[in-house]
Amino acid sequence: MNEPVQEIVQYIEAGRDRFIADLKEWLAIPSVSGDPAYATEVRRSAGWLAEYLRGQGFPTVEIWDTPGLPAVYAEWPAADPSAPTVLVYGHHDVQPVEPLDEWDTAPFEPVEKDGRLIGRGASDDKGQVFFHTLGIRAALAASGADAPPVTVKLLVEGEEESGSVHFAGLLRDHRDRLGCDAIVISDTTMWAADVPSMCTGMRGLTEAEVTLRGPSSDLHSGSFGGAVPNPLHAMATLMAALHDADGRVTLPGFYDDVVPLTDEERALFAKLPFDEAEWLRTAGGSRAAYGEKGYTTLERVWARPTAEINGMWGGHTGPGGKTIVPREAHAKISFRLVAGQDPAKVQQAFRDWVAANTPYGVEAEVHIPGGGVRPCFSPIDSPGVTAARRAMERAFGHEVLFTREGGSGPEADLADILDAPLIFVAVGLDDDRIHAPNEKVEVSLLLKGAETAAYLWEELAAALR
């Protein structure tokens, strides 16, 4: 271990208790963005973070208002004006805490116990935003410099947990201020505490609701059954036709834009210690893995698009029999999208497919709520990802593998509007119980995150020039 690395580790270890105490103070603010009753607390959270970042040495710190809830922006310019610029994205709002009776501790009275920090936002995402502050201070202390080797910008959103409704507008309004060469996302997870990994993509999402209408009222099945179209029969047939025998989605053109997995990505996924039987137990005790033929379970949930029937209903669903031909039937469908796919294009393909496959005598209506969420993706061989992987391997002392995630967020807007590549650097775990009672984060991993961040800036300074 060379001397600067020793100094970074020593600085982080020496600052551990102060770091955790400060993080607890921030976690105690109930910044629940999805509940209007907590809007004042979200604003208080932004104010707390802004003041903290000023105290950490950021020369520029601002609170950016939106038509909803505020974001925090901070900037620390590099000493070299020609150095690359890196934007770090995270969010300071949190999920609601209900059901309260399932918490072992008060959700906004954070507790450190058995090496874990427990409280809402500990992992998602205040803890992961916070490790960057310790990392940058450690890097500066070790180098003796007054400024990082890259210009570091922070953008910490206040509405991520309520859909990032105003985030794209915020990015467009401040595009000039946010210009950067790469975007670091610290809002994902690693494979395991002893298997460090980097996420390289998140699936997008679009949804639809289908209504099929037949007769103008429910009909007596003895008088009309078998003689007029039954909307529920038609819906069952339509939904069954959404996949073929190999588990592939049958919408024409659905796979045309999908960025395929490379052989290297598939090989790296295969190196992860994945226990399918254990995974099935976590999947509600599912009895078998299922999906698109030719792909592993991890490949299916991370890198292949899907169509899921989320609900179907119509006709009589109450106690006892009611012998009718129902007048209408309904279904809700969601599509998880992967790199290359456009929600608007999939929406139109689904409308066209429903129109083409609805039987004569049945009227179809497709309702699509909103524009959907676009997928995002970072090639594993990009300069930024390669540099971040080196930084993470220096901190963890292990080979860093790659994952993707099945969820979705505002990352695609960041990449598109700011025209910069994404780099996912995070230390959360799948068992951190984010969005659930008893959310926690491993303190040792937060400190490894800080160490990774300390190495990250010099790695990116060399890689992005």
Side-chain angles (χ1 to χ4, degrees):
M1 183 182 290
N2 58 44
E3 189 62 24
V5 170
Q6 288 179 339
E7 291 180 5
I8 284 171
V9 172
Q10 289 168 1
Y11 185 96
I12 290 171
E13 290 175 348
R16 176 207 185 279
D17 291 347
R18 181 72 263 166
F19 170 77
I20 296 300
D22 290 338
L23 178 54
K24 283 182 178 180
E25 188 175 320
W26 193 24
L27 292 174
I29 301 174
S31 50
V32 181
S33 65
D35 185 342
Y38 288 91
T40 299
E41 297 296 338
V42 180
R43 293 187 176 93
R44 185 160 72 95
S45 171
W48 187 97
L49 177 60
E51 189 61 29
Y52 181 81
L53 293 174
R54 292 185 187 103
Q56 292 297 294
F58 277 85
T60 299
V61 181
E62 299 170 4
I63 295 176
W64 286 355
D65 286 323
T66 74
L69 297 167
V72 177
Y73 173 77
E75 182 175 343
W76 200 323
D80 178 0
S82 67
T85 296
V86 180
L87 174 73
V88 178
Y89 165 83
H91 62 91
H92 67 94
D93 63 319
V94 299
Q95 280 276 313
V97 296
E98 289 77 16
L100 269 172
D101 60 357
E102 293 186 15
W103 283 82
D104 297 330
T105 61
F108 295 112
E109 296 177 14
V111 174
E112 187 179 354
K113 182 179 179 182
D114 299 328
R116 297 173 169 179
L117 186 58
I118 303 165
R120 178 57 90 223
S123 179
D124 184 25
D125 184 38
K126 288 180 177 177
Q128 301 211 70
V129 168
F130 217 60
F131 73 64
H132 284 283
T133 65
L134 180 57
I136 196 169
R137 293 302 312 177
L140 293 176
S143 67
D146 295 325
V150 298
T151 292
V152 177
K153 299 179 179 180
L154 297 183
L155 181 61
V156 187
E157 185 189 358
E159 295 184 319
E160 195 273 349
E161 298 291 11
S162 51
S164 299
V165 178
H166 302 102
F167 190 61
L170 184 77
L171 295 177
R172 293 187 183 96
D173 290 345
H174 297 280
R175 193 193 321 246
D176 291 344
R177 298 283 303 280
L178 293 169
C180 58
D181 298 291
I183 301 165
V184 172
I185 309 291
S186 293
D187 188 23
T188 52
T189 59
M190 299 196 312
W191 179 262
D194 59 349
V195 185
S197 65
M198 294 175 63
C199 176
T200 59
M202 301 179 76
R203 292 197 292 186
L205 174 68
T206 189
E207 300 172 272
E209 182 173 327
V210 180
T211 297
L212 298 184
R213 296 186 178 91
S216 59
S217 64
D218 293 346
L219 300 177
H220 189 295
S221 65
S223 301
F224 298 99
V228 296
N230 183 315
L232 271 173
H233 292 184
M235 184 66 80
T237 301
L238 187 69
M239 292 298 100
L242 194 53
H243 297 85
D244 66 17
D246 290 330
R248 287 174 62 85
V249 178
T250 56
L251 303 190
F254 185 71
Y255 295 96
D256 287 356
D257 299 325
V258 170
V259 176
L261 280 162
T262 66
D263 291 342
E264 184 181 7
E265 285 176 300
R266 300 187 80 172
L268 289 168
F269 285 177
K271 293 179 74 171
L272 293 164
F274 177 64
D275 183 335
E276 189 163 276
E278 176 58 29
W279 180 83
L280 286 170
R281 282 191 285 273
T282 70
S286 296
R287 295 172 179 82
Y290 169 81
E292 185 183 358
K293 186 177 179 180
Y295 294 91
T296 68
T297 295
L298 289 181
E299 291 168 352
R300 290 169 184 160
V301 297
W302 288 344
R304 298 301 295 170
T306 65
E308 294 294 336
I309 302 166
N310 307 128
M312 288 176 60
W313 69 99
H316 178 62
T317 58
K322 187 179 183 185
T323 53
I324 60 169
V325 174
R327 67 187 181 91
E328 60 185 34
H330 309 270
K332 288 181 180 287
I333 302 95
S334 62
F335 298 89
R336 291 287 176 178
L337 311 179
V338 298
Q341 289 185 296
D342 177 6
K345 193 171 179 179
V346 172
Q347 291 166 3
Q348 188 58 52
F350 182 66
R351 290 184 188 276
D352 294 343
W353 181 83
V354 169
N357 289 274
T358 299
Y360 179 73
V362 175
E363 178 186 79
E365 177 185 340
V366 177
H367 171 67
I368 294 177
V373 178
R374 289 170 296 159
C376 63
F377 174 62
S378 296
I380 63 173
D381 58 355
S382 70
V385 171
T386 301
R389 189 185 190 190
R390 284 196 300 267
M392 210 167 184
E393 288 178 342
R394 288 171 65 183
F396 282 85
H398 291 280
E399 179 188 19
V400 169
L401 300 177
F402 292 103
T403 66
R404 296 195 197 179
E405 293 199 1
S408 53
E411 289 78 10
D413 283 336
L414 277 160
D416 290 351
I417 294 172
L418 302 184
D419 191 24
L422 302 176
I423 305 167
F424 293 85
V425 177
V427 295
L429 298 176
D430 283 342
D431 67 359
D432 279 348
R433 299 184 61 81
I434 64 172
H435 296 202
N438 301 311
E439 180 180 347
K440 61 84 176 174
V441 71
E442 304 290 331
V443 172
S444 62
L445 292 183
L446 283 184
L447 301 181
K448 284 296 183 186
E451 189 180 347
T452 299
Y455 305 140
L456 183 61
W457 313 125
E458 64 176 282
E459 295 284 1
L460 290 176
L464 299 178
R465 285 189 182 273

mmCIF file of all heavy atoms in Angstrom, residues 368-396:
data_model
loop_
_atom_site.group_PDB
_atom_site.id
_atom_site.type_symbol
_atom_site.label_atom_id
_atom_site.label_comp_id
_atom_site.label_asym_id
_atom_site.label_seq_id
_atom_site.Cartn_x
_atom_site.Cartn_y
_atom_site.Cartn_z
ATOM 1 N N ILE A 368 -52.904 4.605 -22.001
ATOM 2 C CA ILE A 368 -51.501 4.574 -21.574
ATOM 3 C C ILE A 368 -51.240 5.778 -20.684
ATOM 4 O O ILE A 368 -51.315 6.927 -21.135
ATOM 5 C CB ILE A 368 -50.557 4.571 -22.788
ATOM 6 C CG1 ILE A 368 -50.739 3.267 -23.566
ATOM 7 C CG2 ILE A 368 -49.099 4.729 -22.343
ATOM 8 C CD1 ILE A 368 -49.931 3.162 -24.817
ATOM 9 N N PRO A 369 -50.957 5.542 -19.404
ATOM 10 C CA PRO A 369 -50.741 6.654 -18.472
ATOM 11 C C PRO A 369 -49.313 7.183 -18.542
ATOM 12 O O PRO A 369 -48.375 6.528 -18.123
ATOM 13 C CB PRO A 369 -51.016 6.013 -17.106
ATOM 14 C CG PRO A 369 -50.639 4.577 -17.286
ATOM 15 C CD PRO A 369 -50.908 4.232 -18.729
ATOM 16 N N GLY A 370 -49.124 8.358 -19.088
ATOM 17 C CA GLY A 370 -47.806 8.978 -19.096
ATOM 18 C C GLY A 370 -46.889 8.469 -20.187
ATOM 19 O O GLY A 370 -47.206 7.556 -20.948
ATOM 20 N N GLY A 371 -45.709 9.076 -20.224
ATOM 21 C CA GLY A 371 -44.758 8.772 -21.288
ATOM 22 C C GLY A 371 -43.828 7.625 -21.000
ATOM 23 O O GLY A 371 -43.042 7.233 -21.859
ATOM 24 N N GLY A 372 -43.890 7.066 -19.777
ATOM 25 C CA GLY A 372 -43.008 5.965 -19.433
ATOM 26 C C GLY A 372 -41.635 6.442 -18.982
ATOM 27 O O GLY A 372 -41.334 7.640 -18.974
ATOM 28 N N VAL A 373 -40.814 5.489 -18.605
ATOM 29 C CA VAL A 373 -39.451 5.764 -18.145
ATOM 30 C C VAL A 373 -38.486 5.061 -19.089
ATOM 31 O O VAL A 373 -38.625 3.860 -19.347
ATOM 32 C CB VAL A 373 -39.246 5.252 -16.701
ATOM 33 C CG1 VAL A 373 -37.805 5.489 -16.252
ATOM 34 C CG2 VAL A 373 -40.225 5.932 -15.758
ATOM 35 N N ARG A 374 -37.509 5.786 -19.579
ATOM 36 C CA ARG A 374 -36.560 5.202 -20.524
ATOM 37 C C ARG A 374 -35.480 4.390 -19.801
ATOM 38 O O ARG A 374 -35.079 4.742 -18.689
ATOM 39 C CB ARG A 374 -35.911 6.304 -21.360
ATOM 40 C CG ARG A 374 -36.874 6.932 -22.371
ATOM 41 C CD ARG A 374 -36.256 8.160 -22.987
ATOM 42 N NE ARG A 374 -36.031 9.186 -21.976
ATOM 43 C CZ ARG A 374 -35.163 10.189 -22.101
ATOM 44 N NH1 ARG A 374 -34.426 10.276 -23.194
ATOM 45 N NH2 ARG A 374 -35.033 11.073 -21.149
ATOM 46 N N PRO A 375 -34.999 3.349 -20.426
ATOM 47 C CA PRO A 375 -33.895 2.595 -19.835
ATOM 48 C C PRO A 375 -32.588 3.366 -19.964
ATOM 49 O O PRO A 375 -32.484 4.313 -20.745
ATOM 50 C CB PRO A 375 -33.859 1.318 -20.679
ATOM 51 C CG PRO A 375 -34.394 1.744 -22.012
ATOM 52 C CD PRO A 375 -35.433 2.795 -21.727
ATOM 53 N N CYS A 376 -31.589 2.955 -19.180
ATOM 54 C CA CYS A 376 -30.262 3.558 -19.311
ATOM 55 C C CYS A 376 -29.218 2.446 -19.305
ATOM 56 O O CYS A 376 -29.472 1.342 -18.820
ATOM 57 C CB CYS A 376 -29.993 4.560 -18.195
ATOM 58 S SG CYS A 376 -29.973 3.835 -16.544
ATOM 59 N N PHE A 377 -28.028 2.771 -19.819
ATOM 60 C CA PHE A 377 -27.024 1.731 -20.023
ATOM 61 C C PHE A 377 -25.637 2.349 -20.101
ATOM 62 O O PHE A 377 -25.464 3.428 -20.658
ATOM 63 C CB PHE A 377 -27.333 0.982 -21.332
ATOM 64 C CG PHE A 377 -26.298 -0.016 -21.753
ATOM 65 C CD1 PHE A 377 -25.999 -1.106 -20.948
ATOM 66 C CD2 PHE A 377 -25.628 0.123 -22.952
ATOM 67 C CE1 PHE A 377 -25.042 -2.032 -21.335
ATOM 68 C CE2 PHE A 377 -24.676 -0.794 -23.355
ATOM 69 C CZ PHE A 377 -24.380 -1.878 -22.537
ATOM 70 N N SER A 378 -24.659 1.666 -19.505
ATOM 71 C CA SER A 378 -23.255 2.084 -19.587
ATOM 72 C C SER A 378 -22.422 0.917 -20.076
ATOM 73 O O SER A 378 -22.331 -0.102 -19.377
ATOM 74 C CB SER A 378 -22.742 2.515 -18.203
ATOM 75 O OG SER A 378 -23.427 3.635 -17.735
ATOM 76 N N PRO A 379 -21.795 1.005 -21.220
ATOM 77 C CA PRO A 379 -20.928 -0.089 -21.687
ATOM 78 C C PRO A 379 -19.803 -0.347 -20.700
ATOM 79 O O PRO A 379 -19.190 0.582 -20.182
ATOM 80 C CB PRO A 379 -20.395 0.434 -23.026
ATOM 81 C CG PRO A 379 -21.368 1.492 -23.451
ATOM 82 C CD PRO A 379 -21.867 2.112 -22.188
ATOM 83 N N ILE A 380 -19.511 -1.613 -20.448
ATOM 84 C CA ILE A 380 -18.517 -1.939 -19.427
ATOM 85 C C ILE A 380 -17.104 -1.564 -19.839
ATOM 86 O O ILE A 380 -16.223 -1.454 -18.983
ATOM 87 C CB ILE A 380 -18.579 -3.437 -19.055
ATOM 88 C CG1 ILE A 380 -18.229 -4.315 -20.259
ATOM 89 C CG2 ILE A 380 -19.921 -3.798 -18.484
ATOM 90 C CD1 ILE A 380 -18.120 -5.795 -19.908
ATOM 91 N N ASP A 381 -16.886 -1.336 -21.131
ATOM 92 C CA ASP A 381 -15.545 -0.977 -21.581
ATOM 93 C C ASP A 381 -15.376 0.519 -21.817
ATOM 94 O O ASP A 381 -14.369 0.961 -22.376
ATOM 95 C CB ASP A 381 -15.184 -1.744 -22.853
ATOM 96 C CG ASP A 381 -16.174 -1.495 -23.991
ATOM 97 O OD1 ASP A 381 -17.195 -0.809 -23.769
ATOM 98 O OD2 ASP A 381 -15.931 -1.996 -25.111
ATOM 99 N N SER A 382 -16.353 1.325 -21.382
ATOM 100 C CA SER A 382 -16.212 2.767 -21.562
ATOM 101 C C SER A 382 -15.124 3.298 -20.635
ATOM 102 O O SER A 382 -14.839 2.720 -19.585
ATOM 103 C CB SER A 382 -17.537 3.474 -21.259
ATOM 104 O OG SER A 382 -17.820 3.407 -19.868
ATOM 105 N N PRO A 383 -14.467 4.409 -20.995
ATOM 106 C CA PRO A 383 -13.386 4.931 -20.151
ATOM 107 C C PRO A 383 -13.821 5.218 -18.717
ATOM 108 O O PRO A 383 -13.086 4.914 -17.772
ATOM 109 C CB PRO A 383 -12.967 6.213 -20.875
ATOM 110 C CG PRO A 383 -13.361 5.990 -22.306
ATOM 111 C CD PRO A 383 -14.614 5.171 -22.251
ATOM 112 N N GLY A 384 -15.004 5.798 -18.551
ATOM 113 C CA GLY A 384 -15.460 6.134 -17.212
ATOM 114 C C GLY A 384 -15.731 4.912 -16.356
ATOM 115 O O GLY A 384 -15.356 4.864 -15.173
ATOM 116 N N VAL A 385 -16.401 3.916 -16.922
ATOM 117 C CA VAL A 385 -16.693 2.691 -16.173
ATOM 118 C C VAL A 385 -15.389 1.970 -15.829
ATOM 119 O O VAL A 385 -15.213 1.464 -14.707
ATOM 120 C CB VAL A 385 -17.644 1.779 -16.968
ATOM 121 C CG1 VAL A 385 -17.770 0.406 -16.301
ATOM 122 C CG2 VAL A 385 -19.024 2.433 -17.080
ATOM 123 N N THR A 386 -14.474 1.920 -16.773
ATOM 124 C CA THR A 386 -13.186 1.264 -16.519
ATOM 125 C C THR A 386 -12.436 1.963 -15.386
ATOM 126 O O THR A 386 -11.859 1.308 -14.505
ATOM 127 C CB THR A 386 -12.334 1.265 -17.794
ATOM 128 O OG1 THR A 386 -13.045 0.585 -18.838
ATOM 129 C CG2 THR A 386 -11.012 0.563 -17.569
ATOM 130 N N ALA A 387 -12.449 3.289 -15.380
ATOM 131 C CA ALA A 387 -11.771 4.043 -14.320
ATOM 132 C C ALA A 387 -12.438 3.822 -12.969
ATOM 133 O O ALA A 387 -11.754 3.637 -11.949
ATOM 134 C CB ALA A 387 -11.760 5.529 -14.672
ATOM 135 N N ALA A 388 -13.758 3.852 -12.945
ATOM 136 C CA ALA A 388 -14.472 3.644 -11.682
ATOM 137 C C ALA A 388 -14.261 2.226 -11.157
ATOM 138 O O ALA A 388 -14.167 2.006 -9.942
ATOM 139 C CB ALA A 388 -15.959 3.922 -11.882
ATOM 140 N N ARG A 389 -14.175 1.279 -12.062
ATOM 141 C CA ARG A 389 -13.903 -0.096 -11.634
ATOM 142 C C ARG A 389 -12.535 -0.186 -10.964
ATOM 143 O O ARG A 389 -12.380 -0.856 -9.940
ATOM 144 C CB ARG A 389 -13.986 -1.037 -12.838
ATOM 145 C CG ARG A 389 -13.936 -2.515 -12.475
ATOM 146 C CD ARG A 389 -13.894 -3.390 -13.711
ATOM 147 N NE ARG A 389 -14.093 -4.801 -13.377
ATOM 148 C CZ ARG A 389 -13.914 -5.801 -14.231
ATOM 149 N NH1 ARG A 389 -13.535 -5.544 -15.485
ATOM 150 N NH2 ARG A 389 -14.107 -7.051 -13.860
ATOM 151 N N ARG A 390 -11.536 0.508 -11.528
ATOM 152 C CA ARG A 390 -10.210 0.516 -10.904
ATOM 153 C C ARG A 390 -10.279 1.127 -9.502
ATOM 154 O O ARG A 390 -9.674 0.615 -8.554
ATOM 155 C CB ARG A 390 -9.221 1.293 -11.770
ATOM 156 C CG ARG A 390 -8.735 0.551 -13.002
ATOM 157 C CD ARG A 390 -7.495 1.212 -13.592
ATOM 158 N NE ARG A 390 -7.744 2.589 -13.998
ATOM 159 C CZ ARG A 390 -8.108 2.953 -15.221
ATOM 160 N NH1 ARG A 390 -8.281 2.037 -16.159
ATOM 161 N NH2 ARG A 390 -8.306 4.224 -15.522
ATOM 162 N N ALA A 391 -11.017 2.227 -9.361
ATOM 163 C CA ALA A 391 -11.133 2.877 -8.050
ATOM 164 C C ALA A 391 -11.789 1.946 -7.038
ATOM 165 O O ALA A 391 -11.349 1.848 -5.884
ATOM 166 C CB ALA A 391 -11.932 4.173 -8.182
ATOM 167 N N MET A 392 -12.805 1.259 -7.472
ATOM 168 C CA MET A 392 -13.516 0.350 -6.573
ATOM 169 C C MET A 392 -12.646 -0.843 -6.193
ATOM 170 O O MET A 392 -12.647 -1.302 -5.045
ATOM 171 C CB MET A 392 -14.809 -0.111 -7.249
ATOM 172 C CG MET A 392 -15.926 -0.430 -6.296
ATOM 173 S SD MET A 392 -17.507 -0.592 -7.166
ATOM 174 C CE MET A 392 -18.564 -0.840 -5.737
ATOM 175 N N GLU A 393 -11.883 -1.352 -7.148
ATOM 176 C CA GLU A 393 -11.000 -2.478 -6.856
ATOM 177 C C GLU A 393 -9.878 -2.068 -5.906
ATOM 178 O O GLU A 393 -9.453 -2.860 -5.047
ATOM 179 C CB GLU A 393 -10.444 -3.059 -8.158
ATOM 180 C CG GLU A 393 -11.501 -3.817 -8.954
ATOM 181 C CD GLU A 393 -11.004 -4.367 -10.276
ATOM 182 O OE1 GLU A 393 -9.947 -3.897 -10.760
ATOM 183 O OE2 GLU A 393 -11.689 -5.257 -10.833
ATOM 184 N N ARG A 394 -9.408 -0.833 -6.014
ATOM 185 C CA ARG A 394 -8.406 -0.347 -5.067
ATOM 186 C C ARG A 394 -8.971 -0.305 -3.656
ATOM 187 O O ARG A 394 -8.281 -0.639 -2.679
ATOM 188 C CB ARG A 394 -7.938 1.057 -5.483
ATOM 189 C CG ARG A 394 -7.065 1.079 -6.724
ATOM 190 C CD ARG A 394 -6.814 2.496 -7.210
ATOM 191 N NE ARG A 394 -6.048 3.295 -6.263
ATOM 192 C CZ ARG A 394 -5.756 4.587 -6.438
ATOM 193 N NH1 ARG A 394 -6.164 5.213 -7.550
ATOM 194 N NH2 ARG A 394 -5.052 5.246 -5.541
ATOM 195 N N ALA A 395 -10.224 0.099 -3.525
ATOM 196 C CA ALA A 395 -10.831 0.199 -2.191
ATOM 197 C C ALA A 395 -11.170 -1.166 -1.608
ATOM 198 O O ALA A 395 -10.928 -1.428 -0.427
ATOM 199 C CB ALA A 395 -12.089 1.066 -2.264
ATOM 200 N N PHE A 396 -11.718 -2.058 -2.422
ATOM 201 C CA PHE A 396 -12.212 -3.339 -1.911
ATOM 202 C C PHE A 396 -11.166 -4.442 -1.942
ATOM 203 O O PHE A 396 -11.309 -5.451 -1.241
ATOM 204 C CB PHE A 396 -13.446 -3.777 -2.698
ATOM 205 C CG PHE A 396 -14.708 -3.070 -2.289
ATOM 206 C CD1 PHE A 396 -15.040 -1.837 -2.839
ATOM 207 C CD2 PHE A 396 -15.557 -3.623 -1.347
ATOM 208 C CE1 PHE A 396 -16.197 -1.177 -2.461
ATOM 209 C CE2 PHE A 396 -16.718 -2.972 -0.957
ATOM 210 C CZ PHE A 396 -17.034 -1.739 -1.516
#
